[in-house]
Structures are given as structure tokens and as C-alpha cells.
């Protein structure tokens, strides 16, 4: 089994990565990171020390978003199906009412459509 963390370079998603790492360590699962950005993930923008992964003994795999999947929610939900995911961890950020209406919500779709439990994490202020 694996823990799937969603990543886009935001404080909320960095908090989600740290929580997913703790959950993976606790459950003795591997950690999958669904990269919702088109840019490669570096240790600096991930927000965790890669040596911590080795210390915790948590196997890590970064799942790059393919060019054929343009919707981040579709990418996360497909990743859940492709890998034996026991938990999805994602970051939440506050959005305006207009932003919610016009843009839709990736987090909302994942929360509603995922087959496994979803843990939503807020960034520390």
C-alpha cells in the first residue's frame, strides 16, 4: 500500500507532504507524490529533507503529471487507481466565493470522488 500526497509548490501542499511522510512512516507504507506542477520537484521546494526519508525508511516515488492528463483532480484520482493507495493527503487553501464559483475545486473533486480516505491539511500561518 502507499500514501499519495498531492504537490504544487504552495505552503498548504508542503504541509501535506510533511503530513503524508509522517503517515507513511506510521503505516510503514511508501510515499507517492503526485506532482501537480509541470516543473520538476526539488528538495528545496518540497519542504522536507530527503535524508529524513532515508532515516524514516519511507520509499518515495514522484509521479509526474503526464501531458495527456490536464486536470489535476483526474491525475490524482487516476494515480489512486493505478497504485494501491490507502490514503490521499492534500493541502487546502482559503479561496474567495468567486474563486470557488469560477475555478471549481480540485480538492473538492478529490474529496468526493476518491475511493480511499482523504486527509486535508492546512498550512500553518
Amino acid at each position: 500500500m502507499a500514501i499519495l500526497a498531492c504537490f504544487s509548490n504552495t505552503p498548504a501542499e508542503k504541509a501535506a507532504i510533511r503530513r503524508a511522510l509522517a503517515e507513511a512512516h506510521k503505516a510503514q507504507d511508501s510515499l507517492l507524490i503526485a506532482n501537480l506542477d509541470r516543473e520538476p520537484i526539488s528538495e528545496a521546494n518540497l519542504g522536507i529533507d530527503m535524508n529524513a526519508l532515508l532515516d524514516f525508511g519511507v520509499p518515495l516515488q514522484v509521479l509526474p503529471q503526464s501531458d495527456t492528463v490536464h486536470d489535476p483532480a483526474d491525475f490524482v484520482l487516476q494515480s489512486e487507481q493505478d497504485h494501491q493507495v490507502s490514503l490521499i493527503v492534500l493541502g487546502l487553501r482559503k479561496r474567495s466565493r468567486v474563486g470557488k464559483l469560477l475555478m471549481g475545486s480540485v480538492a473538492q473533486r478529490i474529496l468526493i470522488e476518491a475511493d480511499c480516505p482523504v486527509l486535508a491539511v492546512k498550512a500553518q500561518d
Side-chain angles (χ1 to χ4, degrees), residues 20-29 55-58:
L21 173 59
E23 293 294 325
H25 178 255
K26 182 170 63 175
Q28 297 182 337
D29 284 342
D55 292 343
F56 283 154
V58 175

Side-chain angles (χ1 to χ4, degrees), residues 15-38:
I17 295 293
R18 289 189 296 277
R19 181 60 184 266
L21 173 59
E23 293 294 325
H25 178 255
K26 182 170 63 175
Q28 297 182 337
D29 284 342
S30 59
L31 176 60
L32 302 174
I33 298 177
N35 185 6
L36 305 181
D37 287 341
R38 296 288 178 191

Side-chain angles (χ1 to χ4, degrees), residues 1-124:
M1 298 297 280
I3 306 292
L4 176 63
C6 304
F7 179 79
S8 59
N9 198 8
T10 66
E13 297 294 359
K14 288 178 182 181
I17 295 293
R18 289 189 296 277
R19 181 60 184 266
L21 173 59
E23 293 294 325
H25 178 255
K26 182 170 63 175
Q28 297 182 337
D29 284 342
S30 59
L31 176 60
L32 302 174
I33 298 177
N35 185 6
L36 305 181
D37 287 341
R38 296 288 178 191
E39 300 298 318
I41 296 176
S42 70
E43 184 175 7
N45 66 12
L46 195 55
I48 60 172
D49 180 1
M50 293 305 223
N51 290 325
L53 291 173
L54 297 174
D55 292 343
F56 283 154
V58 175
L60 170 71
Q61 180 182 358
V62 175
L63 306 173
Q65 194 173 62
S66 72
D67 292 330
T68 59
V69 179
H70 299 289
D71 183 338
D74 286 340
F75 171 54
V76 171
L77 295 168
Q78 186 61 53
S79 296
E80 175 201 13
Q81 297 302 312
D82 292 346
H83 305 275
Q84 293 182 321
V85 173
S86 60
L87 175 69
I88 297 172
V89 183
L90 55 87
L92 293 180
R93 69 179 194 276
K94 189 173 183 175
R95 296 177 42 192
S96 70
R97 290 182 182 169
V98 173
K100 291 177 198 173
L101 179 66
L102 295 177
M103 302 297 255
S105 173
V106 171
Q108 181 177 350
R109 274 202 54 217
I110 294 168
L111 285 165
I112 292 169
E113 296 180 26
D115 292 328
C116 68
V118 178
L119 175 61
V121 177
K122 291 183 186 180
Q124 296 278 335

